[in-house]
Amino acid sequence: MAYQKLLCKIALRNLLKMLKEKYNYECETSLDELNIWFSAQTPYPEIPIVKLVEENMVEDEAIMTHEIIELCKLKKMNIKITYDVFIKYAKKAELAHIKSLEIELPIAKDMKWSKFIKLYIRNIKAYLRNPYLSKELKERYQKLLKQYEEALETL
């Protein structure tokens, strides 16, 4: 078990280093925070991240990059990562989510993460069907959808 934790720590450190050095995105987190993040309650139906990865529906690094950037966006809003973070800070979590998608698009294009881009085209379309989505977020998601669709055409 200690060996697995060490491998995870190394993988996390390498991903954070890549984000900083290659994409000028600085982020600090730990395995403990990631464990809380992936165990946190959400107001949404269960999102099958494990299934996405196990069934090769999205690139492993892509989904981890997404989750880490989203987590760091919340931390940059001075929000502590807790098991109730998505419930307690729902609006800020939604904002962190959309900001992470904006940051990730150039990374996804550069890394040629076509499965990730296709997944988020589908997800953004679903977000846009939410009748409770604010006008501001709806406009941002519409813009993102267009950018993700254009990115997919270039891969």
Side-chain angles (χ1 to χ4, degrees), residues 6-54:
L6 176 64
L7 289 176
C8 290
K9 228 178 217 182
I10 292 168
L12 175 60
R13 185 174 56 225
N14 288 338
L15 184 56
L16 294 173
K17 183 179 177 185
M18 181 269 298
L19 286 171
K20 182 178 180 182
E21 291 177 359
K22 193 169 182 180
Y23 299 103
N24 200 30
Y25 186 78
E26 193 152 351
C27 176
E28 290 183 26
T29 190
S30 66
L31 290 180
D32 291 336
E33 266 187 338
L34 280 174
N35 185 45
I36 292 169
W37 181 260
F38 284 113
S39 303
Q41 298 172 322
T42 71
Y44 306 106
E46 195 60 36
I47 299 170
I49 291 173
V50 172
K51 181 181 177 187
L52 292 173
V53 172
E54 285 178 349

Side-chain angles (χ1 to χ4, degrees), residues 4-152:
Q4 287 176 328
K5 190 170 183 176
L6 176 64
L7 289 176
C8 290
K9 228 178 217 182
I10 292 168
L12 175 60
R13 185 174 56 225
N14 288 338
L15 184 56
L16 294 173
K17 183 179 177 185
M18 181 269 298
L19 286 171
K20 182 178 180 182
E21 291 177 359
K22 193 169 182 180
Y23 299 103
N24 200 30
Y25 186 78
E26 193 152 351
C27 176
E28 290 183 26
T29 190
S30 66
L31 290 180
D32 291 336
E33 266 187 338
L34 280 174
N35 185 45
I36 292 169
W37 181 260
F38 284 113
S39 303
Q41 298 172 322
T42 71
Y44 306 106
E46 195 60 36
I47 299 170
I49 291 173
V50 172
K51 181 181 177 187
L52 292 173
V53 172
E54 285 178 349
E55 294 184 8
N56 199 27
M57 296 168 68
V58 68
E59 297 84 356
D60 299 355
E61 277 188 331
I63 201 68
M64 284 307 296
T65 300
H66 170 73
E67 296 301 328
I68 288 169
I69 291 174
E70 187 174 347
L71 178 155
C72 288
K73 277 293 173 192
L74 274 176
K75 285 177 63 173
K76 288 177 182 183
M77 294 178 202
N78 295 317
I79 294 173
K80 184 175 171 41
I81 305 304
T82 60
Y83 291 104
D84 65 349
V85 68
F86 298 114
I87 305 298
K88 196 171 181 180
Y89 300 101
K91 288 184 181 188
K92 289 189 177 190
E94 184 71 35
L95 186 57
H97 179 69
I98 197 165
K99 285 181 177 183
S100 69
L101 288 172
E102 291 166 346
I103 291 166
E104 292 153 10
L105 183 56
I107 299 170
K109 285 169 50 176
D110 186 43
M111 301 296 277
K112 302 201 181 330
W113 288 336
S114 61
K115 291 177 187 177
F116 175 84
I117 292 172
K118 287 177 189 174
L119 173 69
Y120 273 94
I121 288 172
R122 285 193 307 272
N123 287 356
I124 292 168
K125 286 178 180 177
Y127 304 152
L128 287 169
R129 289 192 296 270
N130 178 350
Y132 304 108
L133 192 64
S134 73
K135 183 181 177 188
E136 176 198 346
L137 289 180
K138 186 173 188 172
E139 288 171 359
R140 286 176 75 175
Y141 276 128
Q142 288 170 330
K143 181 179 176 186
L144 260 178
L145 177 60
K146 184 177 179 191
Q147 291 171 338
Y148 270 68
E149 287 172 336
E150 289 170 357
L152 186 59

